[in-house]
Amino acid sequence: MLVVAAIGGNALLQRGQALTAENQRVNVTVAAHALARIVQAGHQLVITHGNGPQIGLLALEGAAYDPTQIYPLDVLGAKTDGMIGYIIEQELENALDHERAVATLLTQIVVDAEDPAFQNPTKFIGPVYDREEAETLARAAGWSIAQDGDKWRRVVPSPAPQEIPDIRVIKLLLDQDVIVICGGGGGIPVLRRPDGSLIGIEAVIDKDAASGLLARELGADALLLLTDVDAVYRDFGTENQTRIASLTPDEAFALDLPAGSMGPKMLAAAMFAAYGGLAGIGRLDQATDILDGHAGTLVNPIAQDAEG
């Protein structure tokens, strides 16, 4: 079975943790052992990951160096993909006792220049701030900001992914039984010019949307959207919350979930399952149990045990 596993930002940095190399290494080591179990169960594996805090930190470092010469988000995305991919690659190789080849690929993803997201920035990146501090930074750097829980963060455009030009390279690696880490942070956003050439664009693509597109273009058997929550719930956070064990794609599309958390995951899962694959949402440490149908929330063409 070919599995695309999208690991959330919590696998790299838990909310409230300092964005240090040591903290990220510790978290990735835990994640790598969970991912290794997918491989040890006999599956091929492609890994995607988030990069929100890391790309925000690099943007801050660039602004501190010279606010007039800030690197564009596509370049910062490529930097974070290399940094994070290196740590995941190394720790996964260690977890597998170096018995399998692992490769990290910087992955370009084409977006549409006319996407309305460019007029409505919504994607959170970087650390959280108190409102006053966020507003001060926004004025100085020309940012857009928005509230994230009881804090504030920078927001940037998040256009929908359209095409993965590097898909043929990923397929070549999979043909050689290589575990591939790609599409980090939703991939590096690029535009296709009229002559067919590519150029980077100031944006950050949603990781879950990009992971779903990747899984569909690869013809994957399963898409796992792995986070720190064990499943999707109805009436989440209330005394009446109920775990959703299984859904059809149509039922999944009909759910009204928060855009800042489970909404994008459920949309990506529903779109993938509509193509005939198995999509699962749940905790990283339960990845193999989700594949076996014993944990998480599954989106199938035909749902069973809808709630539990």
Side-chain angles (χ1 to χ4, degrees):
M1 180 184 292
L2 174 57
V3 178
V4 173
I7 57 176
N10 61 286
L12 307 171
L13 193 75
Q14 297 175 23
R15 191 174 180 89
Q17 275 190 321
L19 188 55
T20 65
E22 181 180 2
N23 282 341
Q24 292 178 82
R25 172 76 67 174
V26 169
N27 291 329
V28 169
T29 300
V30 174
H33 283 280
L35 294 168
R37 289 193 288 272
I38 298 175
V39 178
Q40 291 160 344
H43 304 300
Q44 278 192 299
L45 180 62
V46 176
I47 301 164
T48 67
H49 59 81
N51 71 342
Q54 291 80 8
I55 197 171
L57 178 63
L58 289 182
L60 283 174
E61 290 176 347
Y65 173 70
D66 186 348
T68 67
Q69 298 292 329
I70 298 175
Y71 277 98
L73 287 172
D74 61 307
V75 174
L76 296 180
K79 286 184 175 183
T80 61
D81 289 354
M83 176 181 69
I84 296 168
Y86 155 67
I87 301 173
I88 296 174
E89 180 179 325
Q90 189 174 74
E91 291 303 329
L92 186 56
E93 289 171 338
N94 290 339
L96 292 169
D97 294 324
H98 298 269
E99 294 179 353
R100 291 287 301 276
V102 185
T104 301
L105 177 69
L106 299 183
T107 314
Q108 302 172 92
I109 296 187
V110 176
V111 300
D112 184 353
E114 301 302 319
D115 192 305
F118 287 107
Q119 306 303 318
N120 181 32
T122 59
K123 184 69 173 177
F124 290 115
I125 67 167
V128 297
Y129 304 100
D130 293 331
R131 181 170 184 170
E132 182 178 353
E133 184 179 10
E135 289 176 343
T136 300
L137 287 167
R139 285 192 297 270
W143 290 354
S144 296
I145 58 172
Q147 191 166 4
D148 182 14
D150 61 350
K151 298 290 186 178
W152 290 74
R153 296 176 71 188
R154 182 185 178 189
V155 288
V156 300
S158 182
Q162 302 292 324
E163 174 195 351
I164 306 175
D166 300 311
I167 198 75
R168 58 183 177 176
V169 181
I170 300 169
K171 290 179 177 179
L172 285 171
L173 291 168
L174 289 173
D175 286 344
Q176 297 302 312
D177 206 26
V178 175
I179 299 167
V180 184
I181 303 164
C182 62
I188 302 165
V190 298
L191 299 178
R192 189 177 293 282
R193 293 163 164 158
D195 65 359
S197 63
L198 301 176
I199 186 70
I201 185 69
E202 280 277 275
V204 172
I205 302 169
D206 180 77
K207 168 185 61 64
D208 298 317
S211 300
L213 176 63
L214 174 67
R216 296 194 302 274
E217 290 202 4
L218 287 176
D221 301 290
L223 169 65
L224 297 181
L225 301 161
L226 302 171
T227 181
D228 58 352
V229 178
D230 66 337
V232 180
Y233 286 80
R234 297 189 194 277
D235 302 318
F236 181 73
T238 74
E239 60 182 17
N240 297 319
Q241 72 175 27
T242 306
R243 171 177 166 255
I244 303 173
S246 185
L247 295 158
T248 65
D250 285 344
E251 290 169 338
F253 282 125
L255 284 179
D256 183 16
L257 297 172
S261 56
M262 280 298 177
K265 289 178 173 53
M266 185 57 74
L267 179 59
M271 291 179 68
F272 178 71
Y275 277 75
L278 171 70
I281 301 173
R283 283 210 325 251
L284 174 62
D285 62 346
Q286 295 182 319
T288 52
D289 292 329
I290 296 169
L291 283 175
D292 292 337
H294 302 314
T297 294
L298 302 180
V299 186
N300 279 309
I302 300 176
Q304 298 178 350
D305 298 325
E307 297 185 1

